């Protein structure tokens, strides 16, 4: 299935790039309990539009595991009924998906992304 991606954030984005953020988008690492001194981070965060016209939130999380990074990609469908909400309320709901709020993403972060509103079908 083809997905059109709209990147909110990429950890490796350069300053000035649309997907750059000065925020670290990291959090204390949790494995049943918080592990002191260990952090995890978002490698990227995006909204995908699928071929069937539905959307999903996607976040790739990572943490150090010795000589490599652990983690994985979380994808969660955005409920169709949320698209009936006012845009600001919709964004408040979206950051609750795919661990986005855990990594410090807020509705305001999403609101600042030029082109997202149109990508999501909120403006003609």
């Amino acid at each position: 299935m083809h997905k059109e991606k709209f990147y909110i954030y990429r950890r490796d984005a350069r300053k000035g790039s649309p997907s750059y953020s000065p925020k670290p988008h990291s959090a204390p690492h949790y494995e049943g309990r918080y592990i002191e001194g260990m952090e995890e981070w978002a490698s990227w965060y995006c909204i995908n539009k699928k071929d069937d016209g539905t959307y999903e939130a996607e976040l790739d999380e990572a943490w150090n595991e010795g000589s490599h990074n652990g983690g994985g990609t979380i994808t969660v469908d955005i409920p169709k009924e949320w698209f009936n909400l006012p845009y600001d309320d919709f964004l408040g709901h979206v950051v609750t998906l795919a661990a986005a709020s855990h990594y410090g993403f807020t509705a305001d972060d999403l609101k600042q992304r030029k082109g997202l509103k149109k990508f999501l079908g909120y403006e003609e």
Side-chain angles (χ1 to χ4, degrees), residues 9 27 29-30 37 46 48 63 75-77 89 93 98 102 107 121 123:
Y9 170 76
H29 185 62
Y30 185 82
C46 63
N48 300 323
W63 52 85
T75 56
V76 180
D77 288 335
D89 293 343
H93 282 66
H102 172 73
E123 39 179 54

Side-chain angles (χ1 to χ4, degrees), residues 23-81:
K23 294 181 180 179
H25 294 295
S26 61
H29 185 62
Y30 185 82
E31 287 186 21
R33 63 180 174 76
Y34 287 104
I35 300 174
E36 189 175 338
M38 189 170 173
E39 285 209 339
E40 55 192 43
W41 60 87
S43 297
W44 71 77
Y45 177 43
C46 63
I47 305 295
N48 300 323
K49 182 176 182 181
K50 300 187 281 186
D51 285 339
D52 63 4
T54 61
Y55 292 83
E56 67 186 5
E58 175 181 307
L59 185 140
D60 187 76
E61 61 181 356
W63 52 85
N64 289 323
E65 287 189 337
S67 62
H68 66 281
N69 289 337
T73 303
I74 305 166
T75 56
V76 180
D77 288 335
I78 299 173
K80 290 180 186 179
E81 59 271 13

